[in-house]
Amino acid sequence: MKYQEAALVAQQILKKETTTRDEKLQELCDYLEGEFPLYDWVGFYFAAQSDTVLCLGPFSGEPTDHTIIPFGKGICGQVAVSGKTFVVDDVNAQDNYIACSIDVRSEIVVPIYVNGKNIGQIDIDSHTADAFGDEDVLFLEKIAEEVALLF
Ligand code: SME
């Protein structure tokens, strides 16, 4: 139920006519981070420089040094290449992982497709291990589809 309600609120945020795209994405990050206790950092990365790097977009949570991530590097960079949602139950068990904070224990990265092209992603970190289940995957993939409509 919570996911359904949150999906509706997210839709309302993304459909506002009075705000820019970045303002909508910022509001969405702030909403998700505030609404879901296990979502400790919520942000967007977008492909740039002819699909060689990801650049940090709007985010909610602690500032990160990783504003640019090469394709293939870390969980985000792997999703930029694979185009598939990546759920990491325990970040410490991952070799190809970029730590943004020592507090992070689990992570989910969901690609955003526009006209069949993977243009970026939603990245969520949690300070709790195993924080992301099937419902989170479905919910966030739906949100990624709504975000894609802004492009
Ligand atoms: N952990 C990510 C880097 C981005 S931060 O989580 C904000 C990764 O391994 O790609």
Side-chain angles (χ1 to χ4, degrees), residues 41 45 56 62 64 66 69 73-78 91 96-101 104 107 109 121 123-125:
W41 189 94
Y45 281 95
L56 181 62
E62 289 294 308
T64 171
H66 303 288
I69 297 176
K73 299 280 182 203
I75 308 303
C76 295
Q78 290 179 76
V91 297
N96 190 359
Y97 167 70
I98 301 167
C100 281
S101 147
V104 175
E107 177 163 3
V109 178
Q121 49 195 237
D123 176 20
I124 304 185
D125 289 342

Side-chain angles (χ1 to χ4, degrees), residues 23-75:
E23 284 167 344
K24 293 188 224 306
L25 296 182
Q26 183 65 58
E27 201 180 323
L28 180 60
C29 290
D30 294 340
Y31 171 68
L32 294 175
E33 198 250 340
E35 189 67 19
F36 290 84
L38 297 185
Y39 294 8
D40 291 301
W41 189 94
V42 179
F44 289 91
Y45 281 95
F46 292 104
Q49 293 176 23
S50 306
D51 288 348
T52 55
V53 297
L54 291 162
C55 291
L56 181 62
F59 68 94
S60 183
E62 289 294 308
T64 171
D65 290 340
H66 303 288
T67 54
I68 296 181
I69 297 176
F71 269 43
K73 299 280 182 203
I75 308 303

